Every structure is written in structure tokens, then in C-alpha cells.
Amino acid sequence: MLGDPVELDGVTFAYGDGALRREVLRDVSLRVAPGEIVILTGPSGSGKTTLLTLVGALRAMQAGSCRVLGQELSGASEAVRVGLRRQIGFIFQSHNLLGFLTARQNVAMALELDGAMHEPERLARAGEMLRAVGLAEEVEKLPGQLSGGQRQRVAVARALAGSPGLILADEPTAALDRVSGGEVVRLLRDLARSRGTAILLVTHDPRILDLADRIVTMEDGRVVAGASPGDALPGPAGNAAGAPG
């Protein structure tokens, strides 16, 4: 029987050695279920982004167990981690689009690792994903011709184009205004849920917390709280216990 897309047990991670060693994750355990949207929040330096890079196989594990899409990453080789990264959709604060490629070409790039798919198929699939994110009229535009919200929509389309088993997002709304940011995250949520794709999202943005199934608060490298949005946001201020202040 397959487990959850993300299963962390006792994950500990430090930067540096000897007197310079600085522990940034301490005995972190976390599960993300299929189709679940989990937001990681907490003060800067609490370990959120480091945890995301470990789950995304962008960094080698040091201690504890980290199973992602059924693959144990503790002790995994670089080749194994590269293979896993191909099954994950990544969205970052910066959209990381190539300025000399059209929106369609940027999305199609995510499919180039699929050797069974020829270029016309990749471009057709990219067009379908751009229509799904509301950019049917913008497919041939360059990133410089798009608004910030539109560029981040292209990034969402790119992340989902290969039907990943997991989406990892790091501050995807930080560069967007309230309206654009909310639209992008709602779009990501709706598309991922329709495919049963789990999402683990790091944010400092209190405006999008209510889009999560669960909010996990980190502090000093540890998980200090986990709750549904309703529990974590008791009042109009929307400030969860342990949330960034």
C-alpha cells in the first residue's frame, strides 16, 4: 500500500561544521496526504525553506527519514534525487521564466524530459495548461509582455504540465499584489485538487492561509503547531499562534 506523498520522521539538518555548525531543523515530523494543501508558516529563519528543499530532493538528507512519492531520500544518491525531482512541480517567488521564450515554450520546457513526447505534443500540452490557467490569449507572448500575475500563472502551468505527484511552492505570492496573489493560489489549489495532487507551500503571506487544508507553524527549526485554517485564524487579525509577526 502506497503511503502519503510526503512522510517526514525525525528530520534534522545543520549548516556548517564544528564550531560553525548551525542546526536549522530539529526532529521534524510531518505528513502531507494526497490532494492536501499544507502551508508552512513561521518567522524568517525557522527552517521552512530548508525543509522544502529537502522534500524537493534539492539538498541531501543528513538525519531522519524523508519519504517523498514513495522514495526514501535518506542516503539516496544524486541520480535518485534527480529522478525524483522530475516527478515534482516547483513554484518559486521568482517565476524563473526564460525571457526569450514565449509562454507556451516556457511551459513546454517542463515536458522535454519525457522522451516519449515529441515537440508538437509538448506544445499542444503547454497550450492546454495555459488555457487552464486563463491565458489562452497570451500563449505566444514573451514574459516581458505579461503582468506579474500572468507570469506566475505561467509558472503554475509549467509546474503542473507534467502531471507531478507533488507541488512545492516557496513564497509564490510574495511579488504579487493581494488580488493577483489570491487568484494564483486559488488557481493552483483548484487545478491540483482536480488531479489529487498534494501541495506543500511556504509563505509569510497571511492573506492566503485560508486556502490551506492545514497550516503548520515552525519556529527555531521545529514544528510548534498544526491546525486547520479556522483554528489557526481565530479573529480578523488572522494571526496564528507562532505565526510571523
Side-chain angles (χ1 to χ4, degrees), residues 21-167:
R21 188 176 187 274
R22 182 171 66 90
E23 204 167 58
V24 292
L25 292 174
R26 300 175 174 87
D27 196 29
V28 174
S29 296
L30 178 68
R31 298 285 190 278
V32 182
E36 186 180 25
I37 300 172
V38 175
I39 284 182
L40 285 177
T41 189
S44 295
S46 58
K48 305 181 300 297
T49 294
T50 297
L51 187 63
L52 204 71
T53 62
L54 290 173
V55 172
L58 297 169
R59 201 184 296 277
M61 287 281 295
Q62 291 179 351
S65 172
C66 178
R67 289 185 65 83
V68 179
L69 301 177
Q71 174 65 56
E72 175 58 63
L73 289 175
S74 180
S77 67
E78 175 65 13
V80 167
R81 290 192 286 124
V82 168
L84 180 62
R85 290 199 291 267
R86 293 173 179 170
Q87 303 174 53
I88 298 172
F90 295 93
I91 303 172
F92 300 101
Q93 174 179 343
S94 173
H95 49 74
N96 294 323
L97 302 180
L98 294 177
F100 57 88
L101 297 181
T102 66
R104 187 202 303 266
Q105 290 168 330
N106 268 284
V107 175
M109 279 191 65
L111 301 169
E112 287 187 357
L113 293 174
D114 185 347
M117 190 177 289
H118 300 297
E119 185 175 4
E121 295 174 88
R122 289 197 297 268
L123 290 171
R125 172 67 175 161
E128 291 171 10
M129 288 307 305
L130 288 168
R131 282 193 291 276
V133 300
L135 295 178
E137 305 301 318
E138 324 295 338
V139 294
E140 301 305 329
K141 289 187 177 179
L142 297 172
Q145 299 172 303
L146 302 173
S147 69
Q150 288 174 327
R151 288 194 290 269
Q152 199 65 312
R153 283 172 177 258
V154 176
V156 169
R158 181 181 57 190
L160 289 165
S163 301
L166 173 67
I167 295 287

